[in-house]
Amino acid sequence: MSYRIINPVLAGFYPAPSVCVSGGKLFMVTASFTYFPGLPLFTSKNGVAWNQLGNIISSGAQLDMSGQGIDKRLMSPTLRFDSSFCEKGRFYCVANQPGGLGIFLCFSDEPASWWSNPVHIDGAHGYDPSIFFDDDGTVWYCGVREATEDKFYESQSEVYLQRIDLESARLYGEQKIILKSDSRRTGWIEGPHIFKKDEIYYLLYSEGGLGLNHGISIARSEKICEGWEIREINPIFTHRNMGLQSKIVSVGHGDMYCDKDGRWWIALCACRPYGDKLHRFINMDRETFIVPVRWEEGWPVIAPETGKIENAYSLSGGVVKRSDDDADAVIMPVVDDFNENEIKPYWLTNRAFCDNLIRWDEVSGMLRLYGGAPIQSEENLAMIVRRQTSFCYEACTQLTCHFANQGDCAGIICYQNEKCNLRLQYKYLGMVIAIQFIRSIDGNEEVVKEEIIGGGTNEYSGIFRIVAEKQLLKFEFGADERSMSIFASDVDSSFLSPDKSGGHSGVTVGMFAIAGGDFKLKQFYTDFDWFKYENITQEFTS
């Protein structure tokens, strides 16, 4: 067992982490944007190995995520624990769904089992909500919005405080503006979190935008509603000074916490670009890292040894070398054989699971996907995916298609969003069955390669595999894993990077089925016997 914190602790698309401590254990939530289930929740004893408890938004009855493209994405959650609530305490999560419910609150007494339906916080506006439990029992809402007074540039923003009644999800009392961005260079303030140490209040926040200029800043005050002092050397942590060729970029949006041993840490997000030295992209988007914090003269110092994110830290906060036997921080099964007749928490779809199309319990040991709408659609998708978590990986599945109408197709997908993805699929063309490699860029689908592989039947089985060697992918097929043939090779996947595709999340891989006829009739279906995803490199940076 590893006793080192190995970065990234949440590899793959896990942005905007928020951490709280309860019963000596750590709990962490991250944003999920348009993916469903939403707001994945993890726990850890010491920050080394993180186990996914589930997802805070796990039911379509909790939150409507249909339609409107990326406008209904789930953003910037804050997770906090109220130890004074009854005997066991209560967890609270606040987050934002712009274009939908807006800023909302939900709670749980048993975070691994259930979460309440989200409720809009009356009076909350702006973005990036947070809450703070003060020692005197007062609960404060902390948010960011566009500057409301004395605004002197377009992207000027401000952090404001107001009391919140958690029972009614309502802000009340006087509203106080405690901090404003002071130059165009800082851009929009984001991710504000208040915490307290030695009777001093601290406001941790990010600025500089989500790109290379991203950084983490700090302010402090003896009184929560006034007298906030911004540290002169802000940002206190960033990689912007390392230039375009930095191995880790876009460092920001963090949440600071103190562990059970009294040591301080910060969970933050950043990107690991990879590919050609002059053309590197961030296919995995923003991942979660944990970095030690030391206190000097009443201010936090992040990564005090080196001033940058390192691959591994000891539990005392020192920089150490990663051992070959160190496991990934998040332990997820390599193979899902679909024998449990229930969805595992790491599986995702776009916006909502279509229970009538995605069936885990209809055939023993199989995932059955009834043909759904085209991948370009925002709803009624028969698709499930999991996050890409390494520069190099293999993803493989065994499927049996039961065709009904011309145009029915199913297979394996490398997915950025509706408009940008790569697919290997079997397609029913009436009298014959074809294997096709499809590339979709900016919504323009192209059949890059097609071969007729069967005819005279409406059933076909096989295995599909994606092999990723950094930005170059191979798509393979065969009757079994020992006799695979390459169908498409040297496929450039850099266009799937969100900074190139216009997407807002990292790449995922998984399975899909598309009906050639009316998907509501459920005439076409595909049974998937298993799905395997395995990282084939442990490289920290490229």
Side-chain angles (χ1 to χ4, degrees):
M1 177 182 291
S2 170
Y3 290 97
R4 305 170 180 87
I5 291 175
I6 307 299
N7 278 316
V9 296
L10 301 185
F13 168 61
Y14 290 105
S18 179
V19 182
C20 71
V21 181
S22 171
K25 293 183 179 180
L26 305 174
F27 294 82
M28 178 156 57
V29 66
T30 74
S32 52
F33 286 12
T34 61
Y35 282 112
F36 184 88
L39 306 181
L41 180 66
F42 299 87
T43 188
S44 176
K45 292 181 179 180
N46 51 17
V48 174
W50 291 86
N51 174 51
Q52 186 170 2
L53 292 177
N55 298 275
I56 291 176
I57 304 299
S58 59
S59 166
Q62 285 179 283
L63 193 64
D64 177 20
M65 293 186 62
S66 60
Q68 297 192 34
I70 64 169
D71 291 336
K72 282 193 174 181
R73 60 192 186 275
L74 295 179
M75 301 173 61
S76 305
T78 296
L79 184 68
R80 293 294 181 258
F81 179 70
D82 179 12
S83 59
S84 66
F85 185 87
C86 296
E87 295 182 2
K88 297 174 61 177
R90 171 169 281 184
F91 289 86
Y92 291 90
C93 180
V94 292
N96 188 18
Q97 187 195 28
L101 186 59
I103 294 172
F104 64 83
L105 175 150
C106 48
F107 64 85
S108 176
D109 302 331
E110 299 289 343
S113 302
W114 66 272
W115 281 82
S116 70
N117 290 337
V119 178
H120 174 72
I121 299 177
D122 186 24
H125 47 92
Y127 58 97
D128 288 14
S130 184
I131 52 176
F132 169 68
F133 293 90
D134 208 344
D135 298 336
D136 61 2
T138 306
V139 187
W140 294 91
Y141 174 87
C142 179
V144 195
R145 64 189 178 198
E146 186 175 349
T148 56
E149 54 187 51
D150 300 326
K151 181 180 176 183
F152 65 92
Y153 64 93
E154 184 178 354
S155 61
Q156 189 176 21
S157 50
E158 62 191 22
V159 180
Y160 68 97
L161 284 178
Q162 195 169 1
R163 292 188 180 185
I164 182 172
D165 179 359
L166 295 174
E167 291 297 317
S168 63
R170 179 181 60 88
L171 302 187
Y172 69 97
E174 186 179 3
Q175 196 174 94
K176 294 282 189 178
I177 298 171
I178 62 171
L179 186 141
K180 279 189 176 183
S181 58
D182 57 6
S183 77
R184 290 176 174 82
R185 175 186 57 79
T186 62
W188 296 102
I189 292 174
E190 63 167 285
H193 295 301
I194 292 177
F195 59 95
K196 197 172 185 180
K197 183 181 185 296
D198 299 330
E199 301 304 313
I200 301 294
Y201 297 95
Y202 292 87
L203 173 66
L204 188 76
Y205 60 99
S206 294
E207 57 187 8
L210 298 178
L212 296 177
N213 203 37
H214 213 194
I216 293 175
S217 296
I218 192 82
R220 70 181 180 185
S221 177
E222 293 182 357
K223 298 180 180 179
I224 192 168
C225 287
E226 60 185 28
W228 284 90
E229 170 194 2
I230 297 176
R231 191 165 196 196
E232 291 183 357
I233 65 170
N234 277 342
I236 59 171
F237 195 60
T238 183
H239 279 207
R240 69 172 68 158
N241 56 300
M242 298 182 187
L244 297 175
Q245 296 303 309
S246 174
K247 299 291 186 179
I248 300 176
V249 299
S250 305
V251 176
H253 207 120
D255 196 7
M256 208 172 287
Y257 65 93
C258 181
D259 66 19
K260 66 181 188 307
D261 297 316
R263 298 187 179 96
W264 284 81
W265 305 84
I266 185 170
L268 49 79
C269 61
C271 301
R272 294 183 294 163
Y274 65 101
D276 182 87
K277 288 184 179 180
L278 299 178
H279 301 91
R280 298 187 305 149
F281 297 95
I282 52 171
N283 293 47
M284 292 180 288
D285 196 51
R286 287 167 289 166
E287 306 173 278
T288 289
F289 301 76
I290 288 180
V291 180
V293 175
R294 185 173 68 205
W295 289 85
E296 294 181 356
E297 298 180 336
W299 292 105
V301 178
I302 300 174
E305 275 192 72
T306 64
K308 62 180 182 178
I309 298 174
E310 299 290 352
N311 187 190
Y313 297 99
S314 68
L315 292 182
S316 62
V319 177
V320 294
K321 290 185 178 181
R322 177 177 182 155
S323 173
D324 290 339
D325 60 355
D326 282 329
D328 292 335
V330 179
I331 307 301
M332 292 184 180
V334 171
V335 179
D336 191 343
D337 55 15
F338 309 122
N339 285 333
E340 295 182 10
N341 294 330
E342 62 180 6
I343 183 172
K344 294 180 179 177
Y346 55 81
W347 284 115
L348 305 166
T349 192
N350 200 5
R351 292 179 179 80
F353 274 110
C354 296
D355 294 334
N356 61 323
L357 300 177
I358 302 173
R359 304 299 304 176
W360 302 83
D361 54 359
E362 197 160 303
V363 181
S364 179
M366 295 280 185
L367 166 67
R368 174 164 290 183
L369 297 183
Y370 287 94
I375 296 298
Q376 302 95 319
S377 303
E378 294 181 353
E379 301 176 28
N380 300 309
L381 292 180
M383 179 184 77
I384 64 163
V385 292
R386 56 183 295 175
R387 291 167 174 85
Q388 175 188 341
T389 58
S390 177
F391 304 130
C392 306
Y393 65 86
E394 289 187 5
C396 190
T397 188
Q398 180 173 320
L399 68 160
T400 300
C401 298
H402 300 268
F403 297 113
N405 299 290
Q406 183 162 325
D408 290 343
C409 58
I412 195 168
I413 187 169
C414 189
Y415 183 85
Q416 161 56 234
N417 54 47
E418 301 94 334
K419 297 181 179 180
C420 295
N421 51 78
L422 296 164
R423 311 196 300 270
L424 186 63
Q425 63 186 30
Y426 292 132
K427 187 167 187 176
Y428 192 52
L429 300 179
M431 299 300 294
V432 296
I433 298 170
I435 182 172
Q436 297 177 329
F437 172 60
I438 307 293
R439 178 169 53 212
S440 178
I441 301 179
D442 294 330
N444 299 312
E445 286 202 354
E446 175 190 6
V447 180
V448 179
K449 184 177 180 181
E450 177 182 273
E451 290 183 5
I452 305 302
I453 56 173
T457 179
N458 63 350
E459 182 177 309
Y460 202 86
S461 298
I463 292 177
F464 285 158
R465 180 163 63 199
I466 301 172
V467 180
E469 297 179 2
K470 296 190 176 176
Q471 292 292 357
L472 295 180
L473 308 187
K474 290 188 297 185
F475 288 78
E476 303 175 342
F477 74 104
D480 59 67
E481 288 188 90
R482 294 169 296 179
S483 57
M484 302 292 285
S485 300
I486 297 174
F487 192 74
S489 62
D490 295 328
V491 176
D492 182 9
S493 68
S494 63
F495 78 97
L496 299 176
S497 178
D499 57 345
K500 193 172 182 180
S501 67
H504 291 264
S505 59
V507 170
T508 56
V509 292
M511 301 154 282
F512 71 94
I514 301 171
D518 186 350
F519 68 85
K520 297 177 183 177
L521 300 178
K522 298 176 62 173
Q523 295 174 317
F524 160 57
Y525 62 92
T526 300
D527 290 330
F528 293 85
D529 193 13
W530 46 263
F531 188 93
K532 176 170 67 176
Y533 175 92
E534 186 171 14
N535 294 332
I536 55 177
T537 179
Q538 286 193 336
E539 285 183 273
F540 175 46
T541 56
S542 174

